[in-house]
Amino acid sequence: MKYVALLEELKDAINGSASFDDATQMICERLYTLDEYDWVGFYMAAGNRMLHLENYVGDATDHTEIPYGKGICGQVAVSNESLVIDDVNAEDNYIACSITVKSEIVVPLFVRGHNIGQIDIDSHKLAAFNDEDNQFLIAINEALSNAFETYLVERYVGLNG
Ligand code: SME
């Protein structure tokens, strides 16, 4: 497991963060330093079955609002399951943020069983992500959810079901 030490570092940093906003910014900055993690961001429930881009690190994107069901992110908002996409150009339901992106992983963020958002990572390399990345990102989202449970319930649960 190549992410064991980093996961412990991130859990400590999450638990030491003053807010969800600070924690997600820190996570974006730290993950962006990893090889092949070329864009890192959090899309969160925004009401009316829309996702809204909150903190991110990487190139600016026009896609700050994504409807549920649309693109990789929108599919994860509906399915409650991670998506690991080896080749984004082979996808029919995909929203291109940049022509340099070749693969992507999106992992849902749950609080008390509600899917309230997601972490989204893009890579310039084909098939950059595997189940190890998925488990790593699931664990990060669980740590966030545990650390900021009360805030996340009040802020997001009920916005999109
Ligand atoms: N590719 C995503 C859109 C978000 S960008 O990657 C930043 C999608 O298809 O949902």
Side-chain angles (χ1 to χ4, degrees), residues 39 43 61 63 66 70-74 93-97 104 120 122:
W39 190 95
Y43 282 93
T61 173
H63 302 290
I66 297 179
K70 196 160 184 312
I72 310 305
C73 295
N93 190 359
Y94 171 68
I95 301 166
C97 282
E104 178 163 7
D120 177 17
D122 289 337

Side-chain angles (χ1 to χ4, degrees), residues 109-139:
L109 171 55
F110 297 99
V111 67
R112 293 193 196 153
H114 297 267
N115 181 351
I116 58 163
Q118 50 195 236
I119 187 167
D120 177 17
I121 324 277
D122 289 337
S123 180
H124 299 159
K125 189 182 164 221
L126 282 169
F129 308 111
N130 60 26
D131 192 53
E132 215 168 31
D133 298 276
N134 184 32
Q135 297 305 325
F136 173 55
L137 297 168
I138 287 171

Side-chain angles (χ1 to χ4, degrees), residues 8-132:
E8 289 313 307
E9 174 196 321
L10 286 169
K11 282 183 181 171
D12 286 347
I14 289 167
N15 291 326
S17 294
S19 66
F20 178 70
D21 186 58
D22 284 359
T24 53
Q25 183 65 32
M26 175 279 297
I27 290 164
C28 290
E29 288 171 10
R30 186 67 180 89
L31 295 186
Y32 186 70
T33 68
L34 300 181
D35 281 351
E36 295 159 17
Y37 280 53
D38 296 316
W39 190 95
V40 182
F42 284 85
Y43 282 93
M44 299 299 296
N48 297 321
R49 297 187 67 74
M50 296 289 286
L51 292 162
H52 176 73
L53 179 59
E54 297 196 359
N55 286 326
Y56 71 96
V57 172
D59 291 343
T61 173
D62 291 340
H63 302 290
T64 56
E65 310 283 340
I66 297 179
Y68 276 37
K70 196 160 184 312
I72 310 305
C73 295
Q75 292 177 69
V76 168
V78 173
S79 72
N80 304 324
E81 303 277 353
S82 299
L83 272 178
V84 181
I85 308 295
D86 289 344
D87 178 1
V88 294
N89 291 312
E91 294 295 308
D92 290 333
N93 190 359
Y94 171 68
I95 301 166
C97 282
S98 155
I99 54 163
T100 58
V101 173
K102 294 201 168 65
S103 61
E104 178 163 7
I105 182 169
V106 179
V107 176
L109 171 55
F110 297 99
V111 67
R112 293 193 196 153
H114 297 267
N115 181 351
I116 58 163
Q118 50 195 236
I119 187 167
D120 177 17
I121 324 277
D122 289 337
S123 180
H124 299 159
K125 189 182 164 221
L126 282 169
F129 308 111
N130 60 26
D131 192 53
E132 215 168 31

